Amino acid sequence: MDSRRTILVTGASRGIGAETARLLAERGNHVVINYREKRKRAEDLVSEIAAAGGLATAIQADLSKPADVSEMLCTITKAHGGIDGLVLNASGGLERGTPDDYPMAINRDAQAHLLDAALPHLRATGRVVFVTSHQAHFVDRHEVPKDYEPVAVSKRAGEDVIRERLPVLLGADVGLSIVSGDMIEGTIIVRLLERRDPNAVDARRSRVPLPTVEQFARAVADEAVRRDLVPRTLFIGGSDYLAGSL
Ligand SMILES: NC(=O)c1ccc[n+]([C@@H]2O[C@H](COP(=O)([O-])OP(=O)(O)OC[C@H]3O[C@@H](n4cnc5c(N)ncnc54)[C@H](OP(=O)(O)O)[C@@H]3O)[C@@H](O)[C@H]2O)c1
């Protein structure tokens, strides 16, 4: 066991989760990199962090499987005595061949289940961070592309159930942050979108500058290490979404 803070980042084998893990490890935290399928990517990230002098561990768990979740949490607590930060970054619903109810299963039910299961493992002064997109957070006010709608609606439902846990979290001396981002430059999702409809991404870029993975991940990492109990909702990029909401 060590005295570093232990932070679990879900879906950290690539993209925003991986960058968040790098930043948290740079700051001296022990980062647990959760992945579902991409073992090699997750292990390469552990090696990269170790080579830079940081500490990280990779743990496979499909968050839609409760048995995987409880095994992951028990493994972390056995090794580190508990969890100080839980970054709910993993997300899904655009994968081909998944059933129609999969977006709700992964973006709402699996997030709520993970948080509930993690509660006994979370240490006082810890923090939970829920990562979402403006398209999801503002889904009731802004139209989204038809094929992204189930993901946006389910992520907003996930955000709502996590917010409902706030009294329980505060009772355990654990804070909550929601971090929402515009389209993030350089992610696989935006590259796929660009391939399908280059004009949609260009149109967005010409309205507002898109945040980079590094900018968004830095905001997520900053929240994950907060020790106060003040609940926070942060918006990264996409000032046009916020116009009129103040
Ligand atoms: N991309 C954007 O433009 C953007 C904008 C705003 C907000 N966000 C939010 O930022 C977060 C990360 O986005 P991203 O674009 O970096 O995601 P991404 O590249 O699609 O990566 C998703 C990650 O989630 C993991 N994952 C998927 N299903 C899982 C499951 N059932 N169990 C465990 N892990 C699972 C994947 O693991 P494996 O690869 O191992 O399967 C992968 O590491 C998401 O919450 C997203 O909504 C993204």
Side-chain angles (χ1 to χ4, degrees), residues 166-201:
L166 182 60
V168 182
L169 287 172
L170 294 179
D173 221 351
V174 172
L176 174 66
S177 298
I178 310 289
V179 183
S180 177
D182 196 0
M183 282 180 185
I184 305 296
E185 198 72 84
T187 56
I188 291 177
I189 303 271
V190 169
R191 262 182 260 148
L192 285 176
L193 198 65
E194 209 164 14
R195 220 175 290 156
R196 221 181 312 156
D197 184 359
N199 296 335
V201 181

Side-chain angles (χ1 to χ4, degrees), residues 11-76:
S13 59
R14 71 180 199 194
I16 292 153
E19 187 61 17
T20 303
R22 276 186 198 98
L23 292 168
L24 287 167
E26 259 174 33
R27 297 175 191 183
N29 302 287
H30 186 128
V31 184
V32 181
I33 293 162
N34 156 251
Y35 66 95
R36 175 189 49 176
E37 285 177 349
K38 304 290 186 298
R39 173 187 296 273
K40 170 122 182 35
R41 270 198 216 143
E43 286 175 350
D44 286 350
L45 180 56
V46 169
S47 305
E48 182 196 320
I49 288 172
L55 258 182
T57 318
I59 302 189
Q60 191 281 334
D62 181 336
L63 302 182
S64 65
K65 298 184 177 160
D68 281 17
V69 168
S70 58
E71 200 180 323
M72 170 173 71
L73 295 170
C74 288
T75 304
I76 300 170

Side-chain angles (χ1 to χ4, degrees), residues 49-152:
I49 288 172
L55 258 182
T57 318
I59 302 189
Q60 191 281 334
D62 181 336
L63 302 182
S64 65
K65 298 184 177 160
D68 281 17
V69 168
S70 58
E71 200 180 323
M72 170 173 71
L73 295 170
C74 288
T75 304
I76 300 170
T77 293
K78 217 169 167 185
H80 307 288
I83 300 172
D84 301 290
L86 170 61
V87 179
L88 298 169
N89 167 77
S91 180
L94 285 176
E95 301 89 337
R96 282 190 194 163
T98 51
D100 290 350
D101 59 359
Y102 183 70
M104 274 298 174
I106 183 66
N107 296 326
R108 182 191 61 191
D109 303 341
Q111 308 300 320
H113 173 75
L114 171 56
L115 179 52
D116 293 341
L119 262 172
H121 300 264
L122 285 171
R123 281 193 279 243
T125 76
R127 192 114 193 148
V128 172
V129 183
F130 182 78
V131 181
T132 191
S133 62
H134 291 0
Q135 286 189 319
H137 180 84
F138 294 104
V139 70
D140 293 339
R141 283 195 254 161
H142 288 260
E143 218 177 303
V144 295
K146 222 54 242 112
D147 50 355
Y148 188 73
E149 204 175 292
V151 176

Side-chain angles (χ1 to χ4, degrees), residues 9 52 115 128 155 171 232:
V9 183
L115 179 52
V128 172
K155 280 190 72 78
R232 285 161 54 90

